[in-house]
């Protein structure tokens, strides 16, 4: 089964951007709330809505904003890991901020998702809307078949 890379890592600013292919696919499938990876964050953060905020770290973005702009990257396209977002302090933490940062950087650098997982999420997301909602995709199955056949 085909997989798609989710993030591209930018070592010069220790940040991530969404891979262009995934960005295009998620856009066609309607998998965009305030960004294309909100739904993925929910899985990473114990499958709850706190996960939609896994990249709400404006202070970290502010630190690399000017350097990102010189690379042609917009502020809102930056995804910076804040290691404190990956601990809950109920029974730990078991690792330092640096250890968590390194771990999650490795995970996101290698993160690929199966297209069927992405399609399933798009179907779920679409089914939670009705015909009148912004974002409802009437021909979602056709789009999924196009992506399966042609890649995008």
């Amino acid at each position: 089964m085909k997989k798609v890379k989710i993030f591209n890592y930018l070592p010069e600013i220790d940040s991530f951007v969404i891979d262009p292919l995934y960005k295009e696919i998620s856009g066609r499938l309607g998998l965009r709330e305030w960004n294309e990876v909100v739904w993925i964050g929910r899985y990473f953060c114990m499958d709850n809505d706190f996960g939609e905020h896994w990249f709400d770290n404006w202070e970290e973005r502010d630190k690399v904003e000017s350097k990102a702009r010189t690379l042609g990257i917009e502020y809102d396209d930056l995804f910076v890991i804040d290691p404190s977002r990956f601990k809950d302090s109920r029974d730990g933490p078991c690792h330092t901020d640096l250890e968590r940062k390194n771990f999650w950087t490795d995970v996101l650098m290698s993160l690929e998702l199966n297209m069927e997982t992405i399609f399933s999420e798009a179907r779920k997301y679409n089914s939670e809307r009705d015909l009148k909602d912004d974002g409802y995709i009437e021909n979602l199955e056709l789009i999924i078949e196009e992506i399966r056949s042609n890649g995008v």
Side-chain angles (χ1 to χ4, degrees), residues 7-18 64 67-68 71-74 77-79 101 105 109:
F7 292 104
N8 291 329
Y9 181 65
L10 306 169
E12 56 272 34
I13 56 173
D14 192 23
S15 303
F16 291 89
V17 293
I18 294 175
V64 297
K67 177 81 171 174
L71 298 171
I73 299 163
E74 294 297 318
D77 293 334
L78 287 172
F79 295 88
K101 172 112 170 67
T105 298
M109 284 173 62

Side-chain angles (χ1 to χ4, degrees), residues 1-53:
M1 293 193 182
K2 185 169 178 0
K3 292 186 176 194
V4 64
K5 185 172 178 62
I6 305 302
F7 292 104
N8 291 329
Y9 181 65
L10 306 169
E12 56 272 34
I13 56 173
D14 192 23
S15 303
F16 291 89
V17 293
I18 294 175
D19 184 86
L21 178 60
Y22 173 70
K23 189 175 195 95
E24 184 173 345
I25 290 168
S26 63
R28 290 193 63 203
L29 296 173
L31 283 174
R32 181 160 177 44
E33 290 178 50
W34 44 89
N35 67 58
E36 297 83 352
V37 295
V38 166
W39 70 276
I40 298 169
R42 289 184 180 118
Y43 278 107
F44 275 119
C45 295
M46 299 179 72
D47 198 22
N48 66 55
D49 270 344
F50 176 75
E52 70 191 54
H53 303 287

Side-chain angles (χ1 to χ4, degrees), residues 115-131:
M115 289 302 296
E116 294 306 317
T117 300
I118 296 168
F119 295 155
S120 177
E121 188 68 20
R123 287 183 183 107
K124 176 186 179 305
Y125 197 64
N126 206 45
S127 73
E128 293 170 352
R129 295 177 165 70
D130 64 35
L131 293 170

Side-chain angles (χ1 to χ4, degrees), residues 89-146:
S89 299
R90 286 186 282 181
D91 189 17
C94 299
H95 299 91
T96 66
D97 280 353
L98 180 60
E99 289 168 329
R100 276 192 310 282
K101 172 112 170 67
N102 289 339
F103 173 82
W104 286 107
T105 298
D106 287 346
V107 167
L108 296 185
M109 284 173 62
S110 63
L111 181 61
E112 292 182 338
L113 293 178
N114 183 301
M115 289 302 296
E116 294 306 317
T117 300
I118 296 168
F119 295 155
S120 177
E121 188 68 20
R123 287 183 183 107
K124 176 186 179 305
Y125 197 64
N126 206 45
S127 73
E128 293 170 352
R129 295 177 165 70
D130 64 35
L131 293 170
K132 296 173 259 177
D133 281 340
D134 267 354
Y136 179 80
I137 302 173
E138 214 169 314
N139 61 341
L140 181 63
E141 290 304 320
L142 245 150
I143 293 169
I144 288 172
E145 284 310 311
E146 279 180 20

